[in-house]
Amino acid sequence: MQTSWIPFIPESASTVSEKVDALYFYLCGVTAFFTLLISGVLIFFVIKYRRRTPFEIPRPIAGSHKLETVWSVIPFIIAMSMFAWGAQIYFQNSRPPKNANEVYVVGKQWMWKIQHSTGQREINELHVPAGRKIKLIMTSEDTIHDFFIPAFRIKADVLPGKYTTQWFEATKPGTYHLFCAEYCGMNHSGMIGSVIVMQPTDFDNWLSGNSSQQSPAVAGQQLFQSLGCVSCHGANGEGGRGPALAGLFGRKVFLTNNQTLTADEAYVRESIENPAAKVVSGFSPIMPTFQGQVTPEQLIQIMSFIKSLQISGAPSPATTAPAKAETPAAKAATPPNRQ
Ligand code: CUA
């Protein structure tokens, strides 16, 4: 659908944007049709049934079941068509594909901090390849923000103490606006940036052109050592006091309260900040809380380290862009970014 002739419509540059636009125009079309129909009928009746003499008494009108059924059933069908169509796009948008490349986003007053899974950091800029699926894993350091890329028709709140995700596949190279869409304080309107969509080969060059940076998984491994996690959580159960972490991510976990859940970002975060909340079956609630000791960015690093711990031989669904083969020992210890 060519929409550039409509004023104020942002460019359409992702695989969902055309679908969102089609639904939007359907809603506008239905609204315009009924606005015209109702006001037209209203004006017609006002003229047709106007008072003609000062003491005219109107004819009494009995109800019509046929008429009432028609004006209930037709709007019901129209409303349900909006619901079904909207739900279909919503489900598609809210379920990131498994093979998407992961990019971490941290919002803070008043900037967007972005890190790719290979370690590249960006501020208020997001470089992505065209034609590949990108999943954003987002959190906030302070208040509620909202990550909004109008040209891709995607938008999601970014919350402190919680991970939200959204995904997209950009369709054409170019530079697009990135906005914070939730009032977050004085410089909210300045919390803007650009999304730079590149040809996949250009993107790969860009990504490898900056290889001195440490990947979040490697930084997470260092934190895992320095915070002493390793003394209880050996990758394969060494230590014995905490559950093994290899292959944990995405797996089913059995808890002491007989609940079962899938280990996801929210569960891992909670287990670090509030370990007593969900204790794995067979273990005691002896882990101290790390709330306040790790920044949201460090949490992301630990999370990406845990995701990278796959059981050898098993496929690794969680890590799509594997960290470069670099050992933490071979690298100068970079202090975690605390800006
Ligand atoms: Cu961040 Cu508005």
Side-chain angles (χ1 to χ4, degrees):
M1 197 192 308
Q2 191 58 37
T3 51
S4 52
W5 54 274
I6 304 172
F8 308 117
I9 286 261
E11 252 186 289
S12 169
S14 81
T15 50
V16 296
S17 55
E18 309 264 285
K19 296 176 191 170
V20 172
D21 286 354
L23 174 61
Y24 177 70
F25 291 127
Y26 172 67
L27 296 177
C28 289
V30 170
T31 310
F33 173 77
F34 280 101
T35 304
L36 291 175
L37 180 74
I38 292 168
S39 23
V41 170
L42 185 75
I43 291 165
F44 174 74
F45 284 165
V46 160
I47 294 165
K48 183 165 185 216
Y49 297 110
R50 69 189 183 278
R51 191 163 68 166
R52 284 153 214 266
T53 59
F55 303 106
E56 189 181 354
I57 293 172
R59 204 153 37 87
I61 303 167
S64 160
H65 289 303
K66 201 193 276 175
L67 198 58
E68 286 187 25
T69 309
V70 167
W71 73 42
S72 301
V73 169
I74 292 176
F76 175 76
I77 293 170
I78 293 171
M80 284 297 125
S81 73
M82 294 171 180
F83 169 73
W85 193 347
Q88 190 224 338
I89 293 175
Y90 178 83
F91 283 131
Q92 191 194 354
N93 252 353
S94 58
R95 289 182 185 153
K98 288 253 182 296
N99 58 350
N101 288 340
E102 293 184 349
V103 175
Y104 293 102
V105 175
V106 177
K108 63 172 278 192
Q109 288 169 324
W110 288 277
M111 62 168 80
W112 294 108
K113 298 195 284 185
I114 288 164
Q115 190 171 27
H116 296 262
S117 49
T118 46
Q120 271 79 353
R121 289 174 184 282
E122 309 188 62
I123 288 189
N124 294 339
E125 278 194 350
L126 169 61
H127 286 76
V128 289
R132 288 191 206 155
K133 296 175 177 68
I134 307 292
K135 175 184 173 184
L136 305 172
I137 301 174
M138 311 182 296
T139 190
S140 166
E141 282 187 17
D142 36 48
T143 181
I144 303 177
H145 304 277
D146 189 294
F147 196 87
F148 178 33
I149 308 173
F152 298 170
R153 312 290 190 270
I154 60 160
K155 182 167 172 284
D157 273 4
V158 176
L159 309 166
K162 194 171 189 290
Y163 291 92
T164 50
T165 59
Q166 56 181 345
W167 75 278
F168 60 87
E169 181 181 333
T171 50
K172 54 181 184 194
T175 301
Y176 306 99
H177 287 294
L178 158 62
F179 294 117
C180 177
E182 179 72 51
Y183 182 70
C184 55
M186 193 174 67
N187 291 334
H188 155 72
S189 62
M191 195 168 163
I192 56 176
S194 342
V195 180
I196 297 121
V197 178
M198 308 164 93
Q199 294 291 0
T201 45
D202 295 342
F203 176 77
D204 291 338
N205 287 339
W206 177 85
L207 202 63
S208 59
N210 225 342
S211 58
S212 63
Q213 302 191 44
Q214 195 179 33
S215 81
V218 172
Q221 183 173 18
Q222 289 176 357
L223 279 167
F224 197 76
Q225 300 281 347
S226 62
L227 291 167
C229 315
V230 71
S231 62
C232 293
H233 290 282
N236 295 301
E238 308 94 307
R241 282 173 286 177
L245 300 181
L248 166 75
F249 210 86
R251 196 180 63 192
K252 286 248 180 301
V253 176
F254 303 97
L255 304 179
T256 45
N257 61 5
N258 291 327
Q259 269 186 344
T260 302
L261 53 76
T262 303
D264 58 2
E265 278 102 0
Y267 166 71
V268 172
R269 195 201 111 251
E270 187 182 47
S271 297
I272 293 169
E273 295 195 328
N274 184 13
K278 295 191 174 76
V279 178
V280 175
S281 175
F283 294 91
S284 324
I286 54 169
M287 176 171 159
T289 172
F290 285 84
Q291 184 133 39
Q293 294 185 48
V294 284
T295 65
E297 264 188 298
Q298 290 174 324
L299 257 178
I300 283 174
Q301 292 166 347
I302 295 171
M303 191 109 53
S304 90
F305 169 61
I306 294 174
K307 281 185 193 177
S308 73
L309 291 174
Q310 294 299 321
I311 296 163
S312 49
S316 58
T319 48
T320 44
K324 290 202 182 64
E326 52 183 73
T327 56
K331 299 190 63 71
T334 315
N337 193 337
R338 278 177 189 271
Q339 51 184 258

